[in-house]
């Protein structure tokens, strides 16, 4: 009695006779002996796989949770089914082991900033090693590198501290600039005031010098009668005041005695 088994496109059938592999059949309708034989179907299409929540330790002892996605396909159905009890799990362990080694050589900041390089190194490290399991890894990608909660909190605190430090420095620079501008303005005002006062002082000095010069010129052009008249006026004022004592040498007394007006003033002083 014959049996019929359909193998679909991109699949392969492994014929087992009395539990032992005997041959491989391709896509299409295949005959077998149901009592003595069995056909095991193996999918050769590319298969996506996600490895989530995988913990690794960086060079600086930071714990990082990783999410890795990869695409693989079976290249040798016989090896895949018979030479390893779980070829997919073996492949996963191989990927995780190499990923642990690669990230373990990097500091946290390096690892977080170089996922593309990690992808390349991981793909190169795996290479054809999975061929032992009859598997070929076509693509591997680090989807996420997430530090632990404690490290994330520490990083956030550091970022806040850096921001506060930057803000404080900016404020200090702004205050210093304001003080500098204010001081410069005050200095300029002081200089302007000093220049104005100096100019006023020079102007007053020039005016005083001009006044003295004009007075000297006037005195130089005045004759003796002018001075005599001024002296007589002064004696007249003295005669009217309580201070009626005048000390003069005899020559001056004799000179003023010849002047009638002066004589009258002197008589008034004598009568007091």
């Amino acid at each position: 009695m014959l049996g019929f088994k359909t193998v679909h496109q991109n699949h392969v059938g492994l014929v087992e006779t009395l539990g032992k592999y005997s041959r491989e059949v391709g896509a299409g309708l295949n005959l077998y002996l149901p009592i003595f034989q069995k056909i095991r179907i193996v999918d050769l299409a590319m298969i996506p796989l996600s490895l989530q929540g995988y913990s690794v330790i960086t060079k600086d002892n930071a714990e990082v949770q990783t999410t890795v996605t990869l695409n693989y396909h079976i290249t040798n159905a016989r090896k895949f089914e018979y030479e390893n009890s779980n070829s997919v799990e073996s492949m996963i362990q191989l990927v995780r082991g190499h990923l642990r080694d690669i990230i373990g050589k990097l500091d946290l900041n390096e690892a977080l900033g170089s996922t593309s390089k990690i992808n390349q190194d991981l793909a190169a490290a795996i290479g054809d090693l999975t061929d032992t399991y009859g598997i070929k890894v076509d693509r591997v990608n680090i989807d996420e590198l997430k530090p632990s909660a404690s490290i994330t909190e520490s990083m956030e605190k550091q970022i806040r501290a850096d921001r506060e430090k930057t803000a404080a420095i900016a404020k200090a620079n702004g205050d210093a600039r304001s003080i500098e501008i204010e001081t410069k303005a005050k200095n300029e005002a002081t200089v302007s005031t000093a220049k104005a006062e100096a100019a006023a002082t020079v102007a007053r000095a020039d005016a005083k010098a001009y006044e003295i010069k004009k007075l000297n010129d006037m005195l130089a052009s005045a004759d003796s009668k002018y001075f005599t008249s001024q002296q007589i006026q002064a004696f007249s004022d003295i005669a009217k005041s309580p201070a009626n004592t005048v000390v003069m040498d005899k020559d001056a007394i004799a000179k003023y005695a010849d002047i009638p007006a002066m004589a009258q003033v002197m008589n008034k002083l004598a009568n007091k």
Side-chain angles (χ1 to χ4, degrees):
M1 180 178 177
L2 294 178
F4 299 92
K5 186 73 171 182
T6 301
V7 177
H8 296 286
Q9 181 68 33
N10 212 21
H11 290 68
V12 68
L14 302 178
V15 180
E16 297 176 352
T17 302
L18 298 177
K20 181 179 179 180
Y21 169 76
S22 60
R23 72 182 189 276
E24 181 177 298
V25 295
L29 184 63
N30 295 277
L31 301 176
Y32 72 103
L33 300 174
I35 298 176
F36 302 101
Q37 294 180 324
K38 174 183 177 182
I39 297 180
R40 188 188 297 269
I41 304 299
V42 178
D43 189 354
L44 301 181
M46 186 177 293
I47 301 172
L49 180 65
S50 177
L51 311 179
Q52 298 183 351
Y54 177 47
S55 179
V56 294
I57 305 297
T58 63
K59 183 179 179 180
D60 49 354
N61 296 321
E63 182 181 359
V64 179
Q65 296 292 323
T66 65
T67 298
V68 181
T69 58
L70 55 86
N71 294 335
Y72 72 93
H73 71 279
I74 298 171
T75 57
N76 189 313
R78 182 179 176 182
K79 285 184 179 181
F80 181 79
E81 288 292 337
Y82 301 117
E83 294 187 9
N84 195 302
S85 61
N86 193 331
S87 295
V88 173
E89 182 61 30
S90 296
M91 176 192 66
I92 291 173
Q93 291 178 3
L94 181 66
V95 171
R96 286 180 171 175
H98 281 287
L99 182 60
R100 183 186 297 111
D101 291 340
I102 293 170
I103 294 181
K105 296 176 182 178
L106 301 175
D107 292 334
L108 176 61
N109 290 335
E110 291 180 294
L112 295 177
S114 56
T115 54
S116 296
K117 186 177 184 304
I118 294 174
N119 290 336
Q120 296 173 1
D121 293 345
L122 183 57
I126 295 172
D128 297 328
L129 295 178
T130 54
D131 184 59
T132 305
Y133 317 126
I135 295 175
K136 173 66 177 179
V137 176
D138 301 290
R139 178 179 176 273
V140 60
N141 185 68
I142 307 296
D143 290 334
E144 183 180 37
L145 284 177
K146 184 178 180 181
S148 63
S150 59
I151 294 177
T152 301
E153 183 179 357
S154 298
M155 293 175 66
E156 290 176 350
K157 289 181 179 179
Q158 182 64 42
I159 292 173
R160 286 196 298 269
D162 291 341
R163 288 176 179 172
E164 291 173 357
K165 179 180 178 181
T166 301
I169 292 174
K171 184 178 183 301
N173 290 335
D175 292 343
R177 180 60 179 163
S178 297
I179 293 173
E180 179 183 356
I181 294 174
E182 183 179 356
T183 302
K184 183 178 179 181
K186 288 182 178 179
N187 290 340
E188 290 177 351
T190 301
V191 171
S192 298
T193 302
K195 288 181 178 179
E197 291 178 352
T201 301
V202 171
R204 287 194 298 269
D206 291 342
K208 190 65 177 178
Y210 178 78
E211 180 182 354
I212 293 173
K213 182 177 181 303
K214 295 297 292 182
L215 180 60
N216 288 337
D217 291 344
M218 184 184 68
L219 293 176
S221 63
D223 56 14
S224 59
K225 292 181 180 181
Y226 172 78
F227 292 105
T228 301
S229 174
Q230 293 296 315
Q231 291 172 348
I232 292 173
Q233 182 63 43
F235 277 113
S236 177
D237 292 338
I238 292 173
K240 297 176 182 179
S241 68
N244 54 12
T245 301
V246 180
V247 179
M248 301 176 64
D249 58 38
K250 62 182 182 178
D251 294 333
I253 294 174
K255 181 178 68 173
Y256 289 121
D258 295 335
I259 302 172
M262 191 63 190
Q264 295 178 4
V265 172
M266 295 180 67
N267 289 333
K268 289 181 181 181
L269 291 174
N271 293 331
K272 283 187 176 183

